[in-house]
């Protein structure tokens, strides 16, 4: 039986551990702070696709991973008995003007080719309904590929599945077998310190949870904000993108502005009680794509990092490819996702 050690209990680390366990490996995850303590313990959880145009390896990878997500998270919940809050509820976006309408209609056509019969991107009439963003054109984009997940609960669900299946999640321990580093912003900072330029960095994001009960409603994307109804009677709003900050986990007036913008975009949210304010560092690689493969600065080790804003959406497929590489020596990771792309 192969022995695997995963350093880091965020979504990438836990997903890779789960994929290795399912293939019969003996797995330990080591993280001094526990599952979902960093960026993966956030609140937003928008599993939203890239626009269906200018197709490339990253968009194709994301599409495959989003289509794998339902079975992936169902298996996690079935094993561990904890819900990750996953649901493919779709997404609605407002269309501002005639130029935006023409672009949306063109993307509806390319989606038919790129997404095939897996999902639909379409232009619909704005309805006089409470749960809809303000749309100056009277038109909306609706896609059926987008899904939602509750990040913090998804990490708890993965942790429960891993321990139920015989894996270990430890605060400290001695590495055994191949080591996969999935420590997010911390490892990016350490690599950058050893390199002649920035390999990647933690980008701060602030988000909020509001009390609003709409567990089956679609997510919204309006005024560059993700507005995500969760199954537990909350709606998540996020997020900022901050490269300069003094407090990586503190919230401030920038989050106040996001909440105000969300309420303007979706008036029914006015007066909703704020349940939680959250901030954390999301790991972004220099290439802006996930870093998967051999670790560039830890001989003999592997890396799964750089999920940034799409880590949860990329995790199901990233985990399978990392398991292929570590357990079977089979490397089918796209070239753009290899660490060299950020070096």
């Amino acid at each position: 039986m192969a022995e695997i050690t995963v350093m880091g209990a965020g979504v990438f680390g836990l997903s890779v551990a789960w994929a290795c366990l399912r293939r019969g490996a003996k797995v330990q995850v080591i993280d001094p702070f526990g599952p979902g303590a960093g960026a993966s313990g956030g609140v937003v959880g928008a599993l939203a696709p890239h626009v269906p145009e200018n197709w490339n390896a990253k968009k194709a990878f994301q599409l495959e991973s989003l289509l794998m997500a339902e079975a992936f998270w169902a298996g996690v919940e079935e094993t561990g008995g904890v819900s990750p809050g996953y649901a493919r509820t779709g997404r609605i976006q407002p269309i501002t003007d005639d130029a935006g309408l023409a672009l949306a209609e063109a993307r509806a056509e390319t989606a038919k080719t790129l997404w095939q019969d897996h999902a639909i991107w379409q232009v619909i009439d704005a309805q006089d309904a409470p749960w809809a963003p303000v749309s100056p054109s009277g038109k909306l984009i609706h896609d059926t590929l987008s899904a939602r997940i509750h990040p913090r609960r998804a990490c708890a669900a993965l942790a429960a599945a891993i321990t139920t299946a015989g894996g270990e999640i430890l605060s400290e321990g001695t590495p055994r077998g191949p080591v996969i580093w999935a420590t997010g912003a911390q490892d990016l900072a350490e690599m950058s310190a050893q390199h002649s330029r920035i390999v990647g960095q933690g980008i701060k994001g602030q988000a909020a949870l509001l009390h609003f009960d709409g567990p089956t409603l679609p997510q919204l994307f309006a005024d560059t904000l993700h507005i995500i109804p969760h199954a537990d009677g909350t709606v998540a709003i996020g997020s900022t993108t901050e490269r300069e900050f003094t407090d990586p986990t503190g919230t401030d007036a920038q989050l106040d502005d996001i909440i105000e913008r969300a309420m303007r975009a979706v008036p029914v949210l006015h007066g909703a009680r704020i349940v939680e304010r959250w901030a954390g560092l999301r790991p972004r690689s220099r290439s802006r794509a996930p870093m998967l493969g051999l670790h560039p600065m830890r001989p003999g080790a592997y890396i799964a990092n750089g999920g940034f804003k799409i880590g949860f959406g990329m995790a199901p497929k990233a985990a399978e490819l990392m398991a292929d590489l570590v357990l079977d020596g089979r490397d089918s990771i796209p070239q753009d996702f290899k660490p060299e792309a950020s070096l």
Side-chain angles (χ1 to χ4, degrees):
M1 178 185 293
E3 289 191 286
I4 302 293
T5 298
V6 179
M7 305 298 290
V11 67
F12 269 14
L14 292 169
S15 295
V16 172
W18 171 240
C20 291
L21 266 170
R22 292 178 64 206
R23 299 193 191 188
K26 184 177 181 180
V27 179
Q28 61 173 352
V29 181
I30 300 175
D31 191 318
F33 305 105
S40 295
V43 297
V44 179
L47 306 184
H50 291 289
V51 294
E53 64 183 11
N54 300 324
W55 211 237
N56 56 33
K58 182 178 180 181
K59 291 184 178 183
F61 187 104
Q62 188 202 40
L63 173 62
E64 290 181 48
S65 194
L66 290 174
L67 294 174
M68 293 168 63
E70 186 169 8
F72 178 89
W73 292 110
V76 168
E77 182 173 359
E78 181 179 357
T79 301
V82 176
S83 171
Y86 174 86
R88 189 168 156 183
T89 50
R91 175 179 59 172
I92 292 175
Q93 306 175 64
I95 299 175
T96 303
D97 51 28
D98 290 343
L101 177 59
L103 184 59
E105 289 174 337
R107 288 170 173 168
E109 293 304 311
T110 54
K112 293 176 183 177
T113 300
L114 298 171
W115 293 357
Q116 299 179 21
D117 60 351
H118 299 300
I120 297 170
W121 172 293
Q122 62 185 339
V123 175
I124 61 174
D125 291 328
Q127 303 295 318
D128 185 19
W131 188 251
V134 175
S135 180
S137 70
K139 300 287 185 179
L140 300 167
I141 299 165
H142 174 235
D143 83 75
T144 61
L145 180 56
S146 295
R148 64 113 199 274
I149 199 160
H150 195 299
R152 190 175 302 158
R153 296 184 181 193
C155 288
L158 277 165
I162 288 167
T163 55
T164 299
E168 294 182 290
I169 299 178
L170 310 169
S171 60
E172 58 183 16
T174 302
R176 300 191 302 264
V179 179
I180 303 161
W181 287 83
T183 52
Q186 176 186 335
D187 199 20
L188 292 178
E190 291 173 1
M191 287 190 288
S192 295
Q194 298 176 54
H195 198 53
S196 57
R197 65 178 186 177
I198 294 175
V199 176
Q201 63 187 119
I203 305 294
K204 182 178 177 179
Q206 298 186 48
L209 277 180
L210 307 183
H211 177 66
F212 184 89
D213 193 19
T216 62
L217 294 173
Q219 63 180 274
L220 308 178
F221 185 70
D223 192 14
T224 71
L225 300 177
H226 293 285
I227 303 167
I228 315 294
H230 287 305
D232 62 356
T234 63
V235 167
I237 297 169
S239 60
T240 62
T241 300
E242 303 170 46
R243 291 169 179 79
E244 297 182 4
F245 46 85
T246 55
D247 182 356
T249 59
T251 63
D252 54 32
Q254 294 181 77
L255 182 54
D256 296 333
D257 176 65
I258 276 185
I259 295 169
E260 291 175 8
R261 285 164 51 201
M263 291 181 176
R264 286 198 300 269
V266 188
V268 73
L269 291 176
H270 273 290
R273 177 173 57 87
I274 299 173
V275 177
E276 181 180 350
R277 298 164 64 93
W278 178 90
L281 296 185
R282 298 160 299 178
R284 173 181 157 177
S285 70
R286 184 181 180 87
S287 71
R288 301 191 67 171
M291 298 175 69
L292 307 174
L294 291 172
H295 199 294
M297 298 182 187
R298 299 183 189 271
Y302 300 85
I303 187 170
N305 204 330
F308 192 34
K309 297 180 181 180
I310 56 175
F312 279 86
M314 294 290 210
K317 186 168 177 64
E320 290 300 319
L321 294 194
M322 288 300 297
D324 286 344
L325 180 63
V326 177
L327 298 178
D328 302 328
R330 187 169 70 253
D331 186 354
S332 52
I333 297 168
Q335 198 64 36
D336 291 347
F337 287 23
K338 295 191 174 178
E340 301 86 81
S342 291
L343 298 177

